[in-house]
Amino acid sequence: MEISIMAKSISSKLEKALGDQFPEGERYFGLENFGNTCYCNSVLQALYFCVPFREQLLDYYANNKNIGDAEENLLTCLADLFSQKKKTGVIAPKRFVQRLKKQNELFRSYMHQDAHEFLNFLLNELVDILEKEAQSAKSDPETSSPNEKIANGPKNPQPNGIRKEPLVTWVHKNFQGILTNETKCLRCETVTARDETFFDLSLDIEQNSSITSCLKNFSSTETLNAEDKFFCDKCCSLQEAQKRMKIKKPPHILVIHLKRFKYIEQLGRYKKLSYRVVFPLELKLSNTVEDADIEYSLFAVVVHVGSGPNHGHYVSLVKSHNHWLFFDDENVEMIDESAVQTFFGSAQEYSSNTDHGYILFYESLGASNKS
Amino acid sequence: MINPSNGMISTSSSAANAQSPGLKTYFKTPEGRYKLHYEKTHPSGLLHYAHGKTVTQVTLANLKDKPAPSTPPAPASSFSASSGVRSAAARLLGAGNGSRALGFVGGNGGSKSLSGSSRIGSLGASSSSTSMINTNFDGKGTYIIFNVGDAIFISDLNSQDKDPIKSIHFSNSNPVCHAFDQDAKDGHDLLVGLNSGDVYSVSLRQQLQDVGKKLVGAHHYNKDGSVNNSRCTSIAWVPGGDGSFVVAHADGNLYVYEKASLHYQQNKDGAGDSSFPVIKDQTQFSVAHARYSKSNPIARWHICQGPINSIAFSTDGTYLATVGRDGILLSLYRLFLTFNSLYELKFFVQSRLSTSFRLFKRTTYLRWKKLLWCAIMLCLENFKGVFDNKVPLNSMDGKYILTGGEDDLVQVWSMEDRKVVAWGEGHNSWVSGVAFDSYWSSPNSDGTGETIMYRFGSVGQDTRLLLWDLEMDEIVVPLRRGPPGGSPTFSTGSQSAHWDNVCPVGTLQPAPSMRDVPKLSPLVAHRIHTEPLSGLIFTQESVLTVCREGHIKIWMRPGFAESPSGNSETLLSTSSKEKPLLSNKIGSSSYRQ
Ligand SMILES: [Zn+2]
């Protein structure tokens, strides 16, 4: 009862605040917390306001609703949740959370969970579901696959039965980027490049630094020597080498995970780093293989609240139609853009400020996600 | 202890500002050590930095010996009037993520102005009997004005007292920006803009003489945000504007106010507030005039869709620079401003995605013509020459502009080429303040060298101060001259001719590509505060650095701290007429072309 009353006052407050600026067709609802499910709620809000992702999920859901009918999975639960008609108020993501707990025992307990782990699991799970459905759709010639093959034509499945055919699903199109790991043998100077895909970049952080600086460190050249030598195929032996990571294909949605939870060996446990890491509303990505800078705009931040890694709370900040909103489980508020900077972190240790940006969501402003 | 003369509680707060471990009290440069001379702070109880909404900004105010405010200034004093530096900083994230403004006005004003202001200056000096500085120095009347939380604090620059000599509290909202004009004619020389959009003008001298903790004798504009209730972001006096000033707001509007006594005093209760038509298209630049002639503000410029981060005038008012988060579609336009001048857009840089810099030029010149460039992005400052009134207009003053921002980089712009000619990498976080060191003279400044050296500094959210040397002959200006925008640039002829004739009104400069531009490395880099920095100011004898939370450090230049008595003599005798080195250097460089 209390919740519904609260929800009503929240919704009217928000609607009042937005007035006639309430974007048409947009929905701002809070999500009920079922006991430490804020990790889930905060990420769901960020994904909901990742508009291309939401649209493509709902498109896919609408077009494929009747194929597999009965089967409930995380994708259908998510799509159900995202197709809520409520303009404001509170929604209970009950089915989704139940499904999540069923699917992965990690999230079954009522302990504090890691939002980044959840995001990672969810995206990979969605990809798995899409791949499975594409697979079964292919065996059923009546239905056309909504997914596209990669550019160089259809490949036959591997003879040994391993499904090695990489599908480019809409999840990939939104989130997937490619890193290239260049290793240069210091003896023969041969450069070996190895590509790997990513859905998010996990960055080491430093006190009083910027995202640009963390990205620079991420891409900085590291020397492999002593016990960490590199096996050069050309030299056929372990050699000293230089290694660096560069972004070969920047994703349409760039998700940056700040490694705030660090294992401290001396302590034998994880510690939360409250470092102040500034993130801009507009980010220029320059550590790419190609020369062109790619520009991104910040649209969501998942914030970890609390001083330790094993407890605390998650909230999210979201930009929608040029307004910033603050989502704290059931609670939704309009905030000023200037409030974003209060989530950068603490310039000194032992600060009373414990609300720290943890996962950043940037959308590319350049080309559309088709490229 | 309570100082009865001004009501300030002056605690000897040594613990509040204890040296943080790992921070040194000096930093080394090739010319010697800069030593931490003293610090300025505020009562530590005020450190309620809950939401980081206000970032400390510093203004240096030089009170001259001018007891009667109504006295019309002699020509000489109007010359020294313009011998100030204004700088401005932008806050690229809308609300001041640290890149706050630094206002610096009149750093080296008249040398004879001791008697009038010494009385005030001695308030701060009274407890500093052990001052390393000549006591005459204290009377110079240079004050540090800085905002923290809901208060404005005023400290005596030349006293060793950590605590301010005056605090002014605002009950309605937090002060966020301020500006000082040492040549204000009607006695009101200090402007304060609030978070609520409210604006006050007051007399600094009057505040210092008053014992209370409230503003006294203030004119209140935009009361309770009646004209515009968005945050003030930057405020500036119009040089030579007879008391006019402009206020930039977070909603992308800039307002022009006229001297209060003309109109406003008759309607002191805010009845004279202006009304402006609703902005129909937020994406279009527009200028609107107040509906009623006897009201303030008199005009509104809609400049950006996002916040205007900063504004600054050149000292003679010839140029107005604005920095903002954009969203305005580029259009070519001419602007009308009401203080008898026509301003037109001369320069427009969309240097980052949505951050832009605009420079407006007034087409009618004032009688003293000096080019002093100010302000881009984070801060632009004039380059040399401005301190010497004998430098002719067509010298190379204002050749370069510095910027810094959220890409952690410092950029040097050539006004002539209207592009970045060098960039510096070295900060690990956003750059929040940049300034040329106008007092620095390079070791080879004897006129024989072929190169000109410039020194500038930058501070950032990485809590560090970086110093840079810029040697102009080292910088090879890339040959790719034809800008993609289509407007050709020429470097022949004098600079003013270049600006007036060649440049079409409003030119879009594309974002610079760093790959074609020479890169600088910092000369030195030092972590000097525990909190992110918000600005720096070079004075003749020191470098001031300030952090977001209102702690100011004053670093004495090599040589100054060691032998204070000898140097203070030098200081006192150094007036605006004694800048032969600078002017020579600038002169020689300007005729080299
Ligand atoms: Zn090799």
Side-chain angles (χ1 to χ4, degrees):
Chain A
M1 239 18 242
E2 247 182 61
I3 282 181
S4 71
I5 292 163
M6 198 172 73
K8 202 177 165 197
S9 72
I10 288 164
S11 69
S12 55
K13 204 172 114 199
L14 185 66
E15 282 176 63
K16 215 177 183 178
L18 280 160
D20 53 2
Q21 290 192 67
F22 200 104
E24 219 183 303
E26 198 52 87
R27 292 164 221 295
Y28 303 112
F29 45 78
L31 293 171
E32 197 183 326
N33 190 328
F34 300 104
N36 268 333
T37 54
C38 51
Y39 71 90
C40 179
N41 290 346
S42 58
V43 169
L44 290 178
Q45 293 288 11
L47 287 176
Y48 183 82
F49 289 98
C50 179
V51 176
F53 173 80
R54 187 210 310 177
E55 282 174 353
Q56 285 162 65
L57 170 71
L58 294 180
D59 270 5
Y60 178 83
Y61 187 52
N63 294 332
N64 296 270
K65 225 173 196 169
N66 305 317
I67 303 170
D69 260 324
E71 186 86 26
E72 184 197 84
N73 57 35
L74 267 183
L75 191 149
T76 63
C77 290
L78 187 67
D80 267 349
L81 185 65
F82 280 12
S83 38
Q84 288 291 335
K85 294 284 176 278
K86 251 185 189 174
K87 216 172 153 189
T88 54
V90 178
I91 282 172
K94 208 168 188 170
R95 271 184 60 208
F96 181 86
V97 172
Q98 275 172 354
R99 187 74 219 173
L100 175 72
K101 294 192 171 189
K102 204 167 161 186
Q103 208 98 358
N104 190 326
E105 59 180 333
L106 244 175
F107 302 109
R108 230 163 274 169
S109 81
Y110 286 89
M111 302 271 286
H112 185 67
Q113 305 285 351
D114 186 290
H116 174 243
E117 238 161 71
F118 164 67
L119 171 68
N120 219 304
F121 172 76
L122 179 60
L123 292 183
N124 282 299
E125 189 66 20
L126 293 180
V127 166
D128 278 357
I129 293 165
L130 290 175
E131 283 178 346
K132 263 179 212 146
E133 284 179 4
Q135 206 73 4
S136 64
K138 207 161 53 179
S139 58
D140 176 8
E142 294 299 299
T143 44
S144 60
S145 165
N147 300 311
E148 291 161 28
K149 308 270 159 48
I150 48 165
N152 49 349
K155 270 187 198 159
N156 291 322
Q158 300 287 315
N160 57 5
I162 298 165
R163 187 164 48 84
K164 196 67 198 121
E165 178 180 318
L167 266 173
V168 181
T169 70
W170 47 266
V171 176
H172 290 109
K173 281 193 198 171
N174 279 305
F175 293 101
Q176 184 175 269
I178 299 171
L179 280 172
T180 185
N181 193 338
E182 293 175 352
T183 315
K184 186 167 123 189
C185 171
L186 288 181
R187 183 162 173 257
C188 66
E189 306 224 309
T190 306
V191 177
T192 317
R194 189 167 47 83
D195 289 353
E196 49 190 271
T197 61
F198 64 91
F199 281 151
D200 62 71
L201 291 180
S202 285
L203 300 184
D204 285 310
I205 56 171
E206 280 174 6
Q207 178 58 292
N208 290 315
S209 63
S210 66
I211 287 294
T212 306
S213 168
C214 296
L215 282 166
K216 208 164 74 190
N217 289 342
F218 179 81
S219 288
S220 66
T221 306
E222 129 186 45
T223 305
L224 304 174
N225 52 19
E227 273 143 57
D228 193 26
K229 278 185 187 155
F230 163 76
F231 187 86
C232 176
D233 285 336
K234 206 174 172 198
C235 304
C236 283
S237 58
L238 283 172
Q239 293 297 336
E240 289 195 354
Q242 276 182 339
K243 192 182 108 171
R244 64 174 183 180
M245 295 272 253
K246 278 199 151 191
I247 293 166
K248 191 174 180 182
K249 184 195 160 279
H252 181 64
I253 307 290
L254 174 64
V255 181
I256 294 176
H257 163 232
L258 304 180
K259 290 189 186 166
R260 288 202 178 271
F261 303 117
K262 194 181 180 188
Y263 189 77
I264 309 289
E265 236 160 278
Q266 295 100 307
L267 300 173
R269 59 176 170 84
Y270 281 88
K271 184 188 174 209
K272 182 178 176 187
L273 305 177
S274 61
Y275 296 163
R276 188 168 187 274
V277 180
V278 295
F279 44 88
L281 296 180
E282 265 100 31
L283 175 72
K284 208 184 231 174
L285 203 63
S286 48
N287 53 334
T288 54
V289 171
E290 277 162 41
D291 260 9
D293 288 342
I294 294 117
E295 289 172 325
Y296 286 92
S297 176
L298 183 72
F299 70 91
V301 181
V302 170
V303 172
H304 182 263
V305 180
S307 50
N310 302 317
H311 47 85
H313 184 47
Y314 285 104
V315 295
S316 45
L317 316 174
V318 159
K319 188 185 186 181
S320 167
H321 300 269
N322 283 319
H323 296 289
W324 279 90
L325 295 119
F326 176 81
F327 290 87
D328 181 356
D329 289 332
E330 294 88 354
N331 205 350
V332 188
E333 272 172 50
M334 287 252 296
I335 53 165
D336 196 76
E337 186 179 75
S338 63
V340 173
Q341 61 171 315
T342 59
F343 299 93
F344 286 163
S346 316
Q348 297 183 59
E349 224 175 339
Y350 313 115
S351 159
S352 56
N353 168 20
T354 63
D355 308 1
H356 306 131
Y358 180 51
I359 311 173
L360 314 174
F361 292 77
Y362 282 94
E363 181 172 5
S364 163
L365 284 159
S368 73
N369 57 336
K370 277 171 200 148
S371 63
Chain B
M1 145 191 129
I2 296 190
N3 186 340
S5 58
N6 60 1
M8 269 301 295
I9 297 169
S10 93
T11 52
S12 44
S13 57
S14 55
N17 213 24
Q19 274 302 315
S20 324
L23 287 188
K24 290 193 172 126
T25 54
Y26 63 89
F27 60 85
K28 285 182 193 164
T29 68
E31 65 267 19
R33 282 182 175 201
Y34 283 68
K35 285 185 180 153
L36 178 62
H37 193 52
Y38 39 81
E39 296 177 45
K40 299 285 181 187
T41 184
H42 49 87
S44 50
L46 278 157
L47 262 171
H48 50 73
Y49 190 63
H51 267 287
K53 282 215 164 154
T54 52
V55 171
T56 298
Q57 182 196 343
V58 172
T59 296
L60 271 194
N62 186 24
L63 274 182
K64 292 192 300 183
D65 183 16
K66 201 170 63 176
S70 54
T71 310
S77 72
S78 52
F79 272 123
S80 74
S82 35
S83 64
V85 177
R86 280 157 202 256
S87 64
R91 298 177 300 165
L92 298 176
L93 224 185
N97 39 51
S99 331
R100 269 308 331 204
L102 269 179
F104 175 17
V105 178
N108 61 338
S111 59
K112 61 175 163 45
S113 60
L114 294 176
S115 59
S117 50
S118 61
R119 187 165 47 87
I120 300 152
S122 63
L123 290 177
S126 59
S127 59
S128 59
S129 53
T130 56
S131 171
M132 295 173 72
I133 291 180
N134 190 307
T135 42
N136 284 336
F137 206 1
D138 293 323
K140 229 169 118 184
T142 304
Y143 297 92
I144 304 173
I145 300 163
F146 61 107
N147 60 290
V148 181
D150 67 348
I152 291 268
F153 293 102
I154 304 168
S155 286
D156 184 345
L157 171 70
N158 299 311
S159 126
Q160 278 193 320
D161 254 7
K162 228 169 216 174
D163 295 308
I165 57 171
K166 173 80 186 175
S167 70
I168 302 164
H169 292 265
F170 293 78
S171 50
N172 43 346
S173 179
N174 287 354
V176 285
C177 53
H178 29 90
F180 179 79
D181 179 8
Q182 67 178 5
D183 296 292
K185 286 171 193 164
D186 66 348
H188 276 207
D189 46 13
L190 180 63
L191 294 169
V192 179
L194 304 193
N195 205 45
S196 58
D198 292 44
V199 174
Y200 294 97
S201 76
V202 293
S203 150
L204 174 62
R205 194 182 300 274
Q206 204 181 340
Q207 309 311 308
L208 288 168
Q209 285 164 345
D210 186 72
V211 294
K213 292 195 168 189
K214 297 281 169 202
L215 278 184
V216 285
H219 288 153
H220 191 173
Y221 306 89
N222 188 25
K223 203 173 181 181
D224 304 317
S226 57
V227 178
N228 187 319
N229 62 7
S230 74
R231 194 179 69 251
C232 291
T233 54
S234 189
I235 195 162
W237 291 101
V238 178
D242 200 24
S244 333
F245 59 92
V246 292
V247 183
H249 286 265
D251 64 353
N253 288 309
L254 182 146
Y255 292 87
V256 183
Y257 290 79
E258 273 193 348
K259 187 177 181 177
S261 54
L262 288 181
H263 301 307
Y264 196 78
Q265 274 178 325
Q266 298 143 14
N267 311 302
K268 225 177 177 177
D269 297 328
D273 275 345
S274 307
S275 63
F276 291 93
V278 173
I279 295 168
K280 288 190 192 92
D281 186 353
Q282 288 283 336
T283 65
Q284 290 296 319
F285 180 91
S286 65
V287 174
H289 295 265
R291 287 204 177 109
Y292 313 105
S293 60
K294 295 217 170 198
S295 60
N296 243 334
I298 56 168
R300 176 193 67 203
W301 298 13
H302 178 66
I303 294 186
C304 309
Q305 248 184 311
I308 300 171
N309 296 320
S310 190
I311 54 172
F313 281 98
S314 60
T315 32
D316 63 354
T318 304
Y319 294 98
L320 166 65
T322 68
V323 190
R325 292 257 324 282
D326 224 61
I328 290 282
L329 305 172
L330 180 75
S331 54
L332 303 181
Y333 43 76
R334 282 178 171 266
L335 311 171
F336 288 89
L337 245 195
T338 19
F339 27 82
N340 308 322
S341 303
L342 171 74
Y343 278 75
E344 59 184 7
L345 183 68
K346 275 295 185 185
F347 190 65
F348 176 97
V349 180
Q350 190 137 22
S351 95
R352 201 179 291 100
L353 190 72
S354 61
T355 308
S356 65
F357 160 64
R358 289 181 175 80
L359 190 70
F360 299 95
K361 185 180 181 186
R362 184 160 60 190
T363 55
T364 51
Y365 281 37
L366 291 180
R367 66 196 152 86
W368 64 91
K369 295 179 172 182
K370 271 182 276 60
L371 292 180
L372 167 60
W373 296 97
C374 297
I376 291 202
M377 295 256 305
L378 282 199
C379 168
L380 316 181
E381 261 205 42
N382 161 41
F383 227 90
K384 315 203 169 184
V386 68
F387 299 102
D388 188 335
N389 295 305
K390 285 175 284 192
V391 174
L393 171 69
N394 62 352
S395 76
M396 300 303 270
D397 304 354
K399 264 180 86 173
Y400 302 102
I401 289 178
L402 293 172
T403 71
E406 291 182 6
D407 51 8
D408 306 355
L409 303 177
V410 176
Q411 296 168 345
V412 184
W413 297 73
S414 159
M415 295 313 294
E416 221 166 74
D417 296 316
R418 284 181 286 156
K419 64 176 155 197
V420 175
V421 291
W423 59 285
E425 190 178 61
H427 280 289
N428 295 329
S429 190
W430 298 349
V431 180
S432 38
V434 284
F436 279 111
D437 182 352
S438 309
Y439 300 90
W440 182 82
S441 51
S442 73
N444 60 343
S445 61
D446 51 2
T448 56
E450 277 299 301
T451 60
I452 320 161
M453 294 273 282
Y454 300 103
R455 165 69 60 83
F456 64 91
S458 60
V459 292
Q461 309 242 346
D462 57 1
T463 71
R464 296 191 307 161
L465 165 73
L466 271 61
L467 295 178
W468 312 75
D469 275 351
L470 179 65
E471 193 165 352
M472 282 330 288
D473 269 4
E474 274 183 3
I475 290 178
V476 183
V477 178
L479 283 173
R480 282 196 350 201
R481 268 277 160 97
S487 71
T489 53
F490 300 98
S491 56
T492 53
S494 76
Q495 193 178 10
S496 58
H498 168 69
W499 277 98
D500 290 342
N501 306 326
V502 181
C503 176
V505 179
T507 310
L508 174 66
Q509 294 294 308
S513 172
M514 291 300 134
R515 286 173 180 88
D516 303 335
V517 180
K519 180 178 149 185
L520 303 173
S521 289
L523 184 72
V524 292
H526 295 281
R527 193 174 157 251
I528 51 167
H529 282 248
T530 53
E531 290 285 335
L533 294 171
S534 60
L536 83 163
I537 299 176
F538 287 102
T539 73
Q540 189 150 27
E541 62 271 19
S542 63
V543 184
L544 269 76
T545 55
V546 58
C547 78
R548 299 163 52 88
E549 306 205 337
H551 300 293
I552 298 162
K553 292 190 178 183
I554 296 154
W555 307 84
M556 294 310 273
R557 291 178 188 269
F560 278 88
E562 272 101 320
S563 52
S565 54
N567 277 297
S568 57
E569 247 172 67
T570 322
L571 284 177
L572 284 169
S573 66
T574 306
S575 65
S576 55
K577 64 179 166 11
E578 283 202 11
K579 288 280 187 175
L581 279 180
L582 286 184
S583 55
N584 280 349
K585 202 158 68 175
I586 282 151
S588 67
S589 70
S590 60
Y591 300 123
R592 213 153 45 85
Q593 275 213 339

